[in-house]
Amino acid sequence: MTRKMLILALAVWIACPSLCLAQYHINPPKTLFPDFRFPSDHKDTPIVFEWRNLQYGFPSEQEREQVLRNGRYNPDSPIPIDIDVYYPPNGGAPRHFVTSPRFGQGVPFSLAYVTNVQRENGSEIQAYPSYQWHSSHGANCDGLTSVYRVHIDACGQMWVLDSGEIEFVQHCAPQVVVFDLATDQLIHRYRLPETSYKAKVSRFVNIFADIRDPPPSGQCKDVFAYLADPTSKAIVVYDVVGQSSWRIENKFTYPDARFGTHTVAGESFELLDGPLALAVTPLGLGLRRHLIFHALTNELELAIPLDVLNNATNWQKGFSSSLSDFITLGKRGIQCATHAISRRGFWFCGFLEPIGIFGWDIRRPYNRENVQPLALNPVTLQFVSGMKIVRRPADGQEELWLLSDRLQKIFAGTIDYREINYRVMRCDVDGLLQGRGCF
Ligand SMILES: *[C@@H]1O[C@H](CO)[C@@H](O)[C@H](O)[C@H]1NC(C)=O
Ligand SMILES: *[C@@H]1O[C@H](CO)[C@@H](O)[C@H](O)[C@H]1NC(C)=O
């Protein structure tokens, strides 16, 4: 390399991320996916649901009027966060679940399914599994207090993470609640012991359940669930068979203050959040398995081997436990919220800038060459807060499901309920990887 080239390379590096990420628009590298063609900008993503505002359905008109009067429903308070989809194995109609946590008062229920009923603000949502599970607003800890995210596994079970708090008042212990989606019955509940969370500090926002004995041969019993607690800056491991849980909190689970300002489409908000995104590398790739994770307020993508994570003995030394087992995969130069990994080992995340879905092959170095934009849309993809990969039973194809919620407008108080603010979208995973964008 000549001296001139070296200086140029250095200048490009220093000017990152804005310049380098901008280059993705012009000159996407062709090395990652042989069939890759850069998608034309602003290609319409296939929107499955959209809302001006979340449209709650109630058991009766009297109930709606009563909760509006007593403050337990304030239409300007709820924000949707997550989406997950269940395809019944017998070919029945898919069911779509959304969450709207109780950030504040005024959220009538925080886990819902989307109905076909169209109302003024969009598709009506109904409480899941029932209105009664939510209506005590923290008084009944056998119900659900506040759900941020859920995870539907390959066995038709929905893992629900209930933070147990409303506006940092810990009404109930955080809990993991599992429903069988074929029967809508409660099949499992685990209340976190006090050693696994910090009351008034913790806020559990994400769950990934790793089924180690999946169908068709497995029994769906050998499970470790990983829980993200960004405000106490920890990951909690829940050993379902062993009925125990432990916290992982160290320098790798902390936010990086340099990424504390989160800017989306010209509006910014401040957060100092720890772990948010969680996904495990798939079974069957022949590689040592890892949890891949990152903090919202950080550019680092990190991994920890599951065999280390899943052994409580490795975590008895607090901050200094097992530090040498953490792997820094690479840096993004920008924040992205939740992520998902396909069964063939491709990672997806919604970047804050440029606003779009980026992909990475987990077998390659995590760097600017290999982390590529797959679908960009500065309007519909503003803050992708929920992201799941769902396998369609009919043909075995994988779909990437997203929920975008323009979180920056909520922080800034600039949300305009005359516009579409919340969207649920579906992309074809193979199509994205082949450079066809999202059809
Ligand atoms: C639609 O949302 C607006 C803004 O929050 C609210 O004032 C209105 O009552 C909602 N409409 C219905 C039918 O819920
Ligand atoms: C857990 O890790 C400890 C050492 O950290 C080791 O002695 C023990 O055998 C491990 N347990 C299992 C079940 O692998």
Side-chain angles (χ1 to χ4, degrees), residues 109-134:
F109 44 84
S110 69
L111 174 60
Y113 62 94
V114 187
T115 72
N116 294 326
V117 179
Q118 292 306 311
R119 301 273 305 280
E120 178 191 339
N121 292 319
S123 302
E124 185 175 275
I125 61 171
Q126 287 285 350
Y128 187 86
S130 72
Y131 190 76
Q132 284 66 36
W133 270 81
H134 300 262

mmCIF file of all heavy atoms in Angstrom, residues 109-134:
data_model
loop_
_atom_site.group_PDB
_atom_site.id
_atom_site.type_symbol
_atom_site.label_atom_id
_atom_site.label_comp_id
_atom_site.label_asym_id
_atom_site.label_seq_id
_atom_site.Cartn_x
_atom_site.Cartn_y
_atom_site.Cartn_z
ATOM 1 N N PHE A 109 -54.043 -3.058 28.410
ATOM 2 C CA PHE A 109 -53.427 -4.394 28.489
ATOM 3 C C PHE A 109 -52.147 -4.368 27.676
ATOM 4 O O PHE A 109 -51.985 -3.550 26.768
ATOM 5 C CB PHE A 109 -54.376 -5.516 28.033
ATOM 6 C CG PHE A 109 -55.160 -5.261 26.773
ATOM 7 C CD1 PHE A 109 -54.611 -5.513 25.532
ATOM 8 C CD2 PHE A 109 -56.486 -4.790 26.842
ATOM 9 C CE1 PHE A 109 -55.353 -5.315 24.371
ATOM 10 C CE2 PHE A 109 -57.227 -4.573 25.687
ATOM 11 C CZ PHE A 109 -56.660 -4.837 24.440
ATOM 12 N N SER A 110 -51.217 -5.281 28.031
ATOM 13 C CA SER A 110 -49.890 -5.153 27.415
ATOM 14 C C SER A 110 -49.508 -6.339 26.538
ATOM 15 O O SER A 110 -48.421 -6.331 25.958
ATOM 16 C CB SER A 110 -48.823 -4.881 28.468
ATOM 17 O OG SER A 110 -48.611 -5.991 29.286
ATOM 18 N N LEU A 111 -50.382 -7.333 26.410
ATOM 19 C CA LEU A 111 -50.144 -8.405 25.445
ATOM 20 C C LEU A 111 -51.467 -8.629 24.721
ATOM 21 O O LEU A 111 -52.513 -8.766 25.369
ATOM 22 C CB LEU A 111 -49.676 -9.684 26.142
ATOM 23 C CG LEU A 111 -49.524 -10.933 25.271
ATOM 24 C CD1 LEU A 111 -48.511 -10.719 24.149
ATOM 25 C CD2 LEU A 111 -49.110 -12.135 26.122
ATOM 26 N N ALA A 112 -51.398 -8.663 23.389
ATOM 27 C CA ALA A 112 -52.632 -8.678 22.604
ATOM 28 C C ALA A 112 -52.437 -9.459 21.318
ATOM 29 O O ALA A 112 -51.308 -9.695 20.889
ATOM 30 C CB ALA A 112 -53.036 -7.248 22.261
ATOM 31 N N TYR A 113 -53.546 -9.840 20.708
ATOM 32 C CA TYR A 113 -53.479 -10.364 19.341
ATOM 33 C C TYR A 113 -54.223 -9.396 18.434
ATOM 34 O O TYR A 113 -55.101 -8.647 18.885
ATOM 35 C CB TYR A 113 -54.051 -11.786 19.253
ATOM 36 C CG TYR A 113 -55.506 -11.922 19.615
ATOM 37 C CD1 TYR A 113 -56.491 -11.880 18.623
ATOM 38 C CD2 TYR A 113 -55.905 -12.081 20.937
ATOM 39 C CE1 TYR A 113 -57.835 -12.002 18.946
ATOM 40 C CE2 TYR A 113 -57.250 -12.203 21.266
ATOM 41 C CZ TYR A 113 -58.209 -12.157 20.269
ATOM 42 O OH TYR A 113 -59.536 -12.265 20.593
ATOM 43 N N VAL A 114 -53.849 -9.407 17.174
ATOM 44 C CA VAL A 114 -54.434 -8.453 16.232
ATOM 45 C C VAL A 114 -55.646 -9.106 15.570
ATOM 46 O O VAL A 114 -55.581 -10.259 15.122
ATOM 47 C CB VAL A 114 -53.396 -8.035 15.158
ATOM 48 C CG1 VAL A 114 -53.945 -6.923 14.281
ATOM 49 C CG2 VAL A 114 -52.089 -7.605 15.811
ATOM 50 N N THR A 115 -56.743 -8.377 15.515
ATOM 51 C CA THR A 115 -57.965 -8.896 14.897
ATOM 52 C C THR A 115 -58.123 -8.322 13.489
ATOM 53 O O THR A 115 -57.367 -7.435 13.071
ATOM 54 C CB THR A 115 -59.209 -8.508 15.711
ATOM 55 O OG1 THR A 115 -59.433 -7.099 15.520
ATOM 56 C CG2 THR A 115 -59.041 -8.819 17.198
ATOM 57 N N ASN A 116 -59.125 -8.816 12.786
ATOM 58 C CA ASN A 116 -59.423 -8.295 11.439
ATOM 59 C C ASN A 116 -60.303 -7.052 11.470
ATOM 60 O O ASN A 116 -60.609 -6.493 10.419
ATOM 61 C CB ASN A 116 -60.176 -9.356 10.631
ATOM 62 C CG ASN A 116 -59.296 -10.561 10.373
ATOM 63 O OD1 ASN A 116 -58.095 -10.410 10.197
ATOM 64 N ND2 ASN A 116 -59.894 -11.745 10.376
ATOM 65 N N VAL A 117 -60.702 -6.655 12.659
ATOM 66 C CA VAL A 117 -61.631 -5.526 12.763
ATOM 67 C C VAL A 117 -60.888 -4.218 12.507
ATOM 68 O O VAL A 117 -59.889 -3.924 13.162
ATOM 69 C CB VAL A 117 -62.278 -5.507 14.173
ATOM 70 C CG1 VAL A 117 -63.235 -4.334 14.329
ATOM 71 C CG2 VAL A 117 -62.979 -6.838 14.455
ATOM 72 N N GLN A 118 -61.336 -3.460 11.523
ATOM 73 C CA GLN A 118 -60.695 -2.176 11.197
ATOM 74 C C GLN A 118 -61.439 -1.045 11.902
ATOM 75 O O GLN A 118 -62.648 -0.941 11.795
ATOM 76 C CB GLN A 118 -60.712 -1.932 9.683
ATOM 77 C CG GLN A 118 -59.827 -2.885 8.899
ATOM 78 C CD GLN A 118 -58.384 -2.906 9.393
ATOM 79 O OE1 GLN A 118 -57.794 -1.841 9.573
ATOM 80 N NE2 GLN A 118 -57.853 -4.092 9.635
ATOM 81 N N ARG A 119 -60.669 -0.206 12.623
ATOM 82 C CA ARG A 119 -61.264 0.928 13.328
ATOM 83 C C ARG A 119 -60.538 2.204 12.916
ATOM 84 O O ARG A 119 -59.622 2.172 12.094
ATOM 85 C CB ARG A 119 -61.140 0.711 14.844
ATOM 86 C CG ARG A 119 -61.813 -0.584 15.358
ATOM 87 C CD ARG A 119 -63.290 -0.389 15.685
ATOM 88 N NE ARG A 119 -63.457 0.702 16.633
ATOM 89 C CZ ARG A 119 -63.265 0.609 17.953
ATOM 90 N NH1 ARG A 119 -62.929 -0.542 18.485
ATOM 91 N NH2 ARG A 119 -63.428 1.643 18.747
ATOM 92 N N GLU A 120 -60.967 3.285 13.535
ATOM 93 C CA GLU A 120 -60.429 4.605 13.171
ATOM 94 C C GLU A 120 -58.887 4.655 13.126
ATOM 95 O O GLU A 120 -58.293 5.201 12.197
ATOM 96 C CB GLU A 120 -60.965 5.606 14.210
ATOM 97 C CG GLU A 120 -60.480 7.028 14.051
ATOM 98 C CD GLU A 120 -60.853 7.880 15.276
ATOM 99 O OE1 GLU A 120 -61.787 7.484 16.016
ATOM 100 O OE2 GLU A 120 -60.215 8.919 15.473
ATOM 101 N N ASN A 121 -58.213 4.067 14.134
ATOM 102 C CA ASN A 121 -56.746 4.177 14.209
ATOM 103 C C ASN A 121 -55.998 2.971 13.657
ATOM 104 O O ASN A 121 -54.770 2.949 13.694
ATOM 105 C CB ASN A 121 -56.329 4.430 15.654
ATOM 106 C CG ASN A 121 -56.767 5.813 16.129
ATOM 107 O OD1 ASN A 121 -56.670 6.784 15.386
ATOM 108 N ND2 ASN A 121 -57.288 5.886 17.335
ATOM 109 N N GLY A 122 -56.724 1.969 13.185
ATOM 110 C CA GLY A 122 -56.066 0.780 12.632
ATOM 111 C C GLY A 122 -56.746 -0.495 13.111
ATOM 112 O O GLY A 122 -57.834 -0.446 13.690
ATOM 113 N N SER A 123 -56.069 -1.626 12.893
ATOM 114 C CA SER A 123 -56.659 -2.917 13.272
ATOM 115 C C SER A 123 -56.838 -2.998 14.784
ATOM 116 O O SER A 123 -55.931 -2.659 15.545
ATOM 117 C CB SER A 123 -55.737 -4.056 12.848
ATOM 118 O OG SER A 123 -55.505 -4.014 11.469
ATOM 119 N N GLU A 124 -57.996 -3.471 15.180
ATOM 120 C CA GLU A 124 -58.264 -3.575 16.616
ATOM 121 C C GLU A 124 -57.453 -4.717 17.224
ATOM 122 O O GLU A 124 -57.329 -5.786 16.633
ATOM 123 C CB GLU A 124 -59.757 -3.830 16.826
ATOM 124 C CG GLU A 124 -60.157 -3.830 18.276
ATOM 125 C CD GLU A 124 -61.667 -3.976 18.426
ATOM 126 O OE1 GLU A 124 -62.363 -2.954 18.358
ATOM 127 O OE2 GLU A 124 -62.125 -5.116 18.597
ATOM 128 N N ILE A 125 -56.911 -4.485 18.423
ATOM 129 C CA ILE A 125 -56.216 -5.549 19.150
ATOM 130 C C ILE A 125 -57.051 -5.948 20.368
ATOM 131 O O ILE A 125 -57.779 -5.132 20.931
ATOM 132 C CB ILE A 125 -54.785 -5.133 19.573
ATOM 133 C CG1 ILE A 125 -54.791 -3.922 20.510
ATOM 134 C CG2 ILE A 125 -53.935 -4.841 18.325
ATOM 135 C CD1 ILE A 125 -53.430 -3.604 21.123
ATOM 136 N N GLN A 126 -56.944 -7.238 20.725
ATOM 137 C CA GLN A 126 -57.675 -7.767 21.880
ATOM 138 C C GLN A 126 -56.690 -8.396 22.853
ATOM 139 O O GLN A 126 -55.676 -8.965 22.440
ATOM 140 C CB GLN A 126 -58.692 -8.840 21.428
ATOM 141 C CG GLN A 126 -59.912 -8.301 20.696
ATOM 142 C CD GLN A 126 -60.936 -7.625 21.627
ATOM 143 O OE1 GLN A 126 -60.845 -7.705 22.854
ATOM 144 N NE2 GLN A 126 -61.913 -6.951 21.019
ATOM 145 N N ALA A 127 -57.024 -8.336 24.142
ATOM 146 C CA ALA A 127 -56.118 -8.829 25.187
ATOM 147 C C ALA A 127 -55.873 -10.327 25.048
ATOM 148 O O ALA A 127 -56.772 -11.081 24.681
ATOM 149 C CB ALA A 127 -56.715 -8.527 26.559
ATOM 150 N N TYR A 128 -54.631 -10.729 25.376
ATOM 151 C CA TYR A 128 -54.280 -12.146 25.366
ATOM 152 C C TYR A 128 -53.672 -12.520 26.713
ATOM 153 O O TYR A 128 -52.857 -11.752 27.219
ATOM 154 C CB TYR A 128 -53.272 -12.459 24.245
ATOM 155 C CG TYR A 128 -53.035 -13.946 24.124
ATOM 156 C CD1 TYR A 128 -53.873 -14.746 23.344
ATOM 157 C CD2 TYR A 128 -52.005 -14.575 24.840
ATOM 158 C CE1 TYR A 128 -53.681 -16.121 23.263
ATOM 159 C CE2 TYR A 128 -51.830 -15.950 24.757
ATOM 160 C CZ TYR A 128 -52.661 -16.710 23.981
ATOM 161 O OH TYR A 128 -52.499 -18.074 23.911
ATOM 162 N N PRO A 129 -53.940 -13.675 27.299
ATOM 163 C CA PRO A 129 -54.931 -14.642 26.826
ATOM 164 C C PRO A 129 -56.368 -14.194 27.107
ATOM 165 O O PRO A 129 -57.280 -14.737 26.496
ATOM 166 C CB PRO A 129 -54.583 -15.913 27.628
ATOM 167 C CG PRO A 129 -53.947 -15.427 28.868
ATOM 168 C CD PRO A 129 -53.207 -14.177 28.497
ATOM 169 N N SER A 130 -56.537 -13.219 28.020
ATOM 170 C CA SER A 130 -57.871 -12.655 28.248
ATOM 171 C C SER A 130 -57.716 -11.276 28.878
ATOM 172 O O SER A 130 -56.637 -10.933 29.384
ATOM 173 C CB SER A 130 -58.691 -13.543 29.192
ATOM 174 O OG SER A 130 -58.174 -13.422 30.518
ATOM 175 N N TYR A 131 -58.749 -10.511 28.882
ATOM 176 C CA TYR A 131 -58.744 -9.172 29.483
ATOM 177 C C TYR A 131 -58.441 -9.256 30.990
ATOM 178 O O TYR A 131 -57.721 -8.433 31.536
ATOM 179 C CB TYR A 131 -60.103 -8.523 29.231
ATOM 180 C CG TYR A 131 -60.169 -7.055 29.572
ATOM 181 C CD1 TYR A 131 -59.595 -6.101 28.745
ATOM 182 C CD2 TYR A 131 -60.835 -6.622 30.722
ATOM 183 C CE1 TYR A 131 -59.667 -4.751 29.049
ATOM 184 C CE2 TYR A 131 -60.918 -5.273 31.040
ATOM 185 C CZ TYR A 131 -60.329 -4.337 30.199
ATOM 186 O OH TYR A 131 -60.397 -3.013 30.502
ATOM 187 N N GLN A 132 -58.986 -10.292 31.637
ATOM 188 C CA GLN A 132 -58.820 -10.444 33.093
ATOM 189 C C GLN A 132 -57.352 -10.633 33.491
ATOM 190 O O GLN A 132 -56.959 -10.268 34.593
ATOM 191 C CB GLN A 132 -59.649 -11.629 33.614
ATOM 192 C CG GLN A 132 -61.135 -11.355 33.731
ATOM 193 C CD GLN A 132 -61.800 -11.138 32.370
ATOM 194 O OE1 GLN A 132 -61.426 -11.789 31.372
ATOM 195 N NE2 GLN A 132 -62.752 -10.224 32.322
ATOM 196 N N TRP A 133 -56.566 -11.213 32.596
ATOM 197 C CA TRP A 133 -55.145 -11.386 32.913
ATOM 198 C C TRP A 133 -54.449 -10.040 33.111
ATOM 199 O O TRP A 133 -53.368 -9.972 33.675
ATOM 200 C CB TRP A 133 -54.449 -12.151 31.784
ATOM 201 C CG TRP A 133 -54.467 -13.635 31.962
ATOM 202 C CD1 TRP A 133 -55.491 -14.489 31.673
ATOM 203 C CD2 TRP A 133 -53.402 -14.448 32.479
ATOM 204 N NE1 TRP A 133 -55.127 -15.776 31.972
ATOM 205 C CE2 TRP A 133 -53.848 -15.781 32.456
ATOM 206 C CE3 TRP A 133 -52.104 -14.173 32.946
ATOM 207 C CZ2 TRP A 133 -53.046 -16.847 32.900
ATOM 208 C CZ3 TRP A 133 -51.314 -15.232 33.371
ATOM 209 C CH2 TRP A 133 -51.788 -16.550 33.348
ATOM 210 N N HIS A 134 -55.018 -8.961 32.603
ATOM 211 C CA HIS A 134 -54.348 -7.653 32.598
ATOM 212 C C HIS A 134 -55.036 -6.599 33.457
ATOM 213 O O HIS A 134 -54.462 -5.560 33.732
ATOM 214 C CB HIS A 134 -54.300 -7.102 31.162
ATOM 215 C CG HIS A 134 -53.558 -7.979 30.207
ATOM 216 N ND1 HIS A 134 -52.248 -7.752 29.866
ATOM 217 C CD2 HIS A 134 -53.934 -9.092 29.520
ATOM 218 C CE1 HIS A 134 -51.843 -8.686 29.006
ATOM 219 N NE2 HIS A 134 -52.850 -9.500 28.783
#
